[in-house]
Amino acid sequence: MSEMTVLPQTEVVTPRELIAQLTQSRRVRLAYWISQLGSPPLTAAGAALLIGFTLSSAFAWRWTLVYMVLTILAPCGYIIWLVQTGQVSDFHLPKREQRFRPLLFSLVAAIVAWLLLVQVAAPRLLQILGVVNLLQTALFFVITLYWKISLHTAAATILAELALVLLGPGAVLFTLSVPLIAWSRIHLERHTVEQTIGGALLGIGILTPMLLLYIQ
């Protein structure tokens, strides 16, 4: 008598489970794109461009662009080089220990940018943004030694608060972006709730005193 061949059993997926899987997949894609659009380089660029449009002079635009090259494009180029050479795994630096060198590079760039803005007597609001960026980078570097705080929510909160001061009620979309970006980072399991809240509070804590000085 020949042995019967036992076929592997296939798992039956119910319609409800299939819908749940599709919904989860869509949420992951949505979270991914929110995270990409709300990345620190883009939100930092948004803050600089907002100041450029607010000041709206050739002199202000010139130094806004110089500031963006030094504090955004240069660090991004360095991170891309680290990714291409296999020294970090992802442009968004998901591993805390991989953030040290990029943050140190960004800190040096922030110092150079701020000193240059002061030297050329750039508009005061742009100088304040330079100070905010310098303080944020320095604090993130120190905090990252012990904890993986969210850069995404910090940068998004700074942009939202700056827009609120400069645009008033027109800044509602910027304000709504902060919880959306926080949700995306949590949903993608890149950060915990506490880490996103910590980033947002740090952004507010840095920018608010600087804006009060500017308003006075």
Side-chain angles (χ1 to χ4, degrees), residues 107 110 129-141 202 206 210:
L107 180 58
L129 183 62
V131 173
V132 168
N133 179 60
L134 175 55
L135 291 174
Q136 175 189 245
T137 308
L139 288 173
F140 264 100
F141 180 78
L202 185 62
I206 295 171
M210 294 296 102

Side-chain angles (χ1 to χ4, degrees), residues 134-207:
L134 175 55
L135 291 174
Q136 175 189 245
T137 308
L139 288 173
F140 264 100
F141 180 78
V142 174
I143 293 172
T144 300
L145 296 174
Y146 308 98
W147 196 45
K148 186 186 170 187
I149 193 170
S150 175
L151 287 164
H152 275 70
T153 54
T157 302
I158 287 174
L159 173 59
E161 186 178 359
L162 184 63
L164 185 63
V165 171
L166 298 180
L167 301 178
V172 62
L173 291 178
F174 294 99
T175 304
L176 292 176
S177 72
V178 177
L180 278 176
I181 291 171
W183 169 82
S184 74
R185 302 304 289 167
I186 296 167
H187 193 73
L188 293 172
E189 297 182 351
R190 294 297 184 96
H191 285 289
T192 64
V193 173
E194 293 79 9
Q195 290 166 347
T196 58
I197 293 175
L201 291 177
L202 185 62
I204 293 173
I206 295 171
L207 182 60

Side-chain angles (χ1 to χ4, degrees), residues 67-88:
Y67 168 83
M68 291 174 66
V69 169
L70 289 173
T71 63
I72 301 173
L73 293 183
C76 282
Y78 178 63
I79 295 173
I80 290 172
W81 176 77
L82 290 175
V83 173
Q84 291 178 341
T85 55
Q87 299 181 61
V88 299

